[in-house]
Amino acid sequence: MVLVARNLSKHYTMGASVVRALDDVSLTVAEGEFVGLLGTSGSGKSTLLNLIAGLDQATAGELLVFGDDLAKMSSETLSRHRQKNVGIIFQSFNLISTMTAAENVALSMMFAGVPRAERERSASDLLTAVGLGGRQTHRPKELSGGEQQRVAIARALSNTPRLLLADEPTGNLDSRTSKEIMALLKDLNERDGKTVIMVTHDADLAKRYAHRIITMLDGKVLSEVTA
Amino acid sequence: MIISDTLRLALGNVRQSKLRTFLTTMGVSIGIASLAGMVSLGVGLQDQFVGRFMQAGVFDAITVSSGNNGGLPALLGGRGRGRGRAGRGGRAGNPPVEGAAPETARPEPPALDEAAMTAIKGLPNVKDVFPNIRVPLQMHLGEFEELGTAMGVPMSAKDEGAFRTMSAGAFFANDTDDSCLLSLDMAKRINETDPKSLVGRTLTLSYTASTATPGAPAPTPMPTMPGMPNLGALLQMKRVDRTYRIAGVVEREPGAGLGGFGFANVMIPLSKAMEIDGQVVRSAQALLTEAPTKTKTYTSVTVKVTKAQFTEDVEDKIKGLGFQAFSINDALQGAKRAFIILDLVLSLIGSIALAVSSLGIMNTMVMSILERTREIGVMKAIGASDSDIRRIFLVEASAIGVLGGVAGIILGWVVGRAINFGANIYIVRQGGEAGNLFSLPWWLIAGALAFSWLVSLVAGSYPANRAAKLNPIQALRHD
Ligand SMILES: Nc1ncnc2c1ncn2[C@@H]1O[C@H](COP(=O)(O)OP(=O)(O)OP(=O)(O)O)[C@@H](O)[C@H]1O
Ligand SMILES: [Mg+2]
């Protein structure tokens, strides 16, 4: 199993009130799956994704990613988990504006300790693979939204993770560009066997690409539908 | 993460905000310049002080006197003859010379004669040994006439003490030259208005000599009887006039005079002084009590060591030979302590500016991190560890610190030069000697660089830690 969550909770205490961002969530994701996470705003989709990414710690429950309990990891091990096990794709791309496309892709390899020549070669290959072969030295400002998201996907792939986490990857894109990005993710899932967990607001999009759709409400899993 | 990549990222950050980095760096450089400048001033002043003494030939000089004399005979001047020499048995009934303290029952100390000088010269690290000779004589030049003492000065004194900088004229051409040096005081007594014009004129030195001096066979040696005054010698007294060309005029330096080459109103080459010393009659009594053939002994001799650091060691060895030895090294320990305190006070003053500039580094780093909060979040999300982030910002702070250090040393040097230039104009106008008030030795450069780096690390560690501990999710929400 790529992912096993048992009775996972994430609570935020705001003074007297407690916000249950995640409330007793249990689910599993198998290798090679394409999972769509649907739900209204504030239902806890991003919270769940951040926990899987190891960017945040659960309040209660168990979360195993590739068999390892994230709750038991030190911050150092968690950073290695983010480096090697998962690739994260954001709605707002989150590229570093002062770096070129190639430098952005190479950055996570830099943290992984990959030597310069090797990561430059990899970055170039990855950019070519996402269809940006000719835009290596362009900075984010000089790229369209779709192109920026391609760079972000290339960066997410750079340390060859088996799990891709995408938080509304097409949220900032028009429908045509969205389709291109979705096609790219589908390709990665089908051709390279990457497991994909994608948060989206778009139920149609989820139905078209995901093998399984998990719908959340108020921090709980409302329904699981396999396509 | 590879260290070169950490550097690459950090220096990239520095380049991103050139103006802010420049301003902070300037702040650090002013701090480092003021600190380095203050320490440099302390070191420079100490060098000047110690250097003066060094050049005065003080640190590397030991004054040696024969064992039964407590005090500083060389400084008191004068020269006793044949005190307590073993083998002078024949004259035991005679009173000792020149009212010296009565001989005690203590074992006879070794005589300070040529043999002793050779022995001392044979000690390791001894550069030179020469007797301190002062001879009483009468000087005249035209109307001027005065009784005084002339001192023998070795040729090796040429580059030391007051002789380095002659007020007028030059040092003796050689040891056998019939030339003399006058003290500025003396020269002024002769010619109040223009003492320097005396150079090249002739000074007549007169003394009373016994014709029965060793080496010069007495024309008619009178038979002497044990216990009886040498009346023959009395009869062989004569007045000797010698003419000396005034080669130069020297001003007494402050700090000179203790140990080293002494200072007198008239200075003549050492060999000349020894020659006169061999002939001069100091008093009738001395003449009466001394055998003309007696081995020559000295009241005191000066020993020069090759390096000041050997002074103590050589001093001990000379004491081991049974002589009294004295050097000024011990007296200067107190002065060195005073300089350490001065250095501390100066560095404290200099540190204030550096403390302020370290706050500048901290502020810049806090700003830099605030600006990059989202970037830090991204880096963490794609796999940067806390320590990666901490190191990136520590290197960024270090870059500011080291750049500031380099600029500060340059700035400190330039300002130091400028102050030195101005101060020396003033010093020279006041009749002083120009010197380096600011000294910038390599250890100060290295120390200033290391210190600026250290300060930047300390100042950068709080912001860097804050960056490392940033919650990535919150950082990603930041804009
Ligand atoms: N740091 C926080 N402090 C307090 N409450 C928080 C915090 N982070 C998230 N929440 C709350 O947790 C709940 C779930 O948030 P989450 O971001 O997971 O929603 P989401 O499903 O991703 O919504 P959206 O579709 O709008 O992105 C929300 O009610 C949110 O206000
Ligand atoms: Mg969300």
Side-chain angles (χ1 to χ4, degrees), chain A residues 10-14 19-22 38-50 56 91 167-168 199-201 216 218-219, chain B residues 471 473-474 477:
Chain A
K10 176 72 185 179
H11 298 169
Y12 292 102
T13 315
M14 312 283 283
V19 180
R20 293 167 198 274
L22 271 188
L38 271 174
T40 53
S41 187
S43 58
K45 310 179 293 291
S46 294
T47 304
L48 178 60
L49 214 65
N50 289 338
D56 210 351
Q91 176 179 354
D167 196 345
E168 299 182 43
V199 171
T200 180
H201 272 127
M216 296 187 66
D218 296 337
Chain B
N471 178 319
I473 297 169
Q474 276 162 20
R477 279 205 200 108

Side-chain angles (χ1 to χ4, degrees), chain A residues 50 55-56 75-76 79 82-83 88 90 92 94 96 98-99 107-108 110-111 113-116 119 155 159, chain B residues 1-2 5 8-9 16 374-375 377-389 392 471-473 476:
Chain A
N50 289 338
L55 285 168
D56 210 351
S75 82
E76 202 71 19
S79 73
R82 292 194 291 268
Q83 222 169 62
I88 308 173
F90 304 92
S92 50
N94 277 334
I96 290 175
T98 54
M99 294 183 180
L107 190 60
S108 56
M110 197 188 257
F111 294 125
V114 177
R116 192 178 177 191
R119 64 175 189 255
R155 179 179 67 186
N159 285 320
Chain B
M1 191 175 180
I2 303 168
D5 289 332
R8 202 189 314 278
L9 281 183
Q16 283 310 305
R374 193 185 173 91
E375 203 172 301
V378 174
M379 286 179 174
K380 283 194 154 191
I382 64 171
S385 68
D386 291 4
S387 50
D388 286 337
I389 302 291
I392 289 167
N471 178 319
I473 297 169
L476 280 168

Side-chain angles (χ1 to χ4, degrees), chain A residues 28-139:
Chain A
T28 57
V29 175
E31 184 93 48
E33 261 196 292
F34 196 128
V35 178
L37 270 182
L38 271 174
T40 53
S41 187
S43 58
K45 310 179 293 291
S46 294
T47 304
L48 178 60
L49 214 65
N50 289 338
L51 286 181
I52 299 167
L55 285 168
D56 210 351
Q57 294 278 2
T59 313
E62 202 180 21
L63 178 61
L64 306 177
V65 180
F66 299 115
D68 293 322
D69 191 346
L70 293 192
K72 293 199 178 96
M73 286 186 181
S74 66
S75 82
E76 202 71 19
T77 330
L78 277 175
S79 73
R80 217 155 310 132
H81 164 74
R82 292 194 291 268
Q83 222 169 62
K84 299 275 168 70
N85 293 345
V86 298
I88 308 173
I89 301 153
F90 304 92
Q91 176 179 354
S92 50
F93 324 131
N94 277 334
L95 297 177
I96 290 175
S97 57
T98 54
M99 294 183 180
T100 64
E103 284 167 347
N104 266 290
V105 175
L107 190 60
S108 56
M109 290 187 268
M110 197 188 257
F111 294 125
V114 177
R116 192 178 177 191
E118 192 181 326
R119 64 175 189 255
E120 277 173 359
R121 189 160 11 92
S122 289
S124 165
D125 291 349
L126 281 165
L127 282 173
T128 309
V130 298
L132 288 176
R135 316 294 298 270
Q136 315 257 3
T137 57
H138 289 226
R139 281 169 214 281

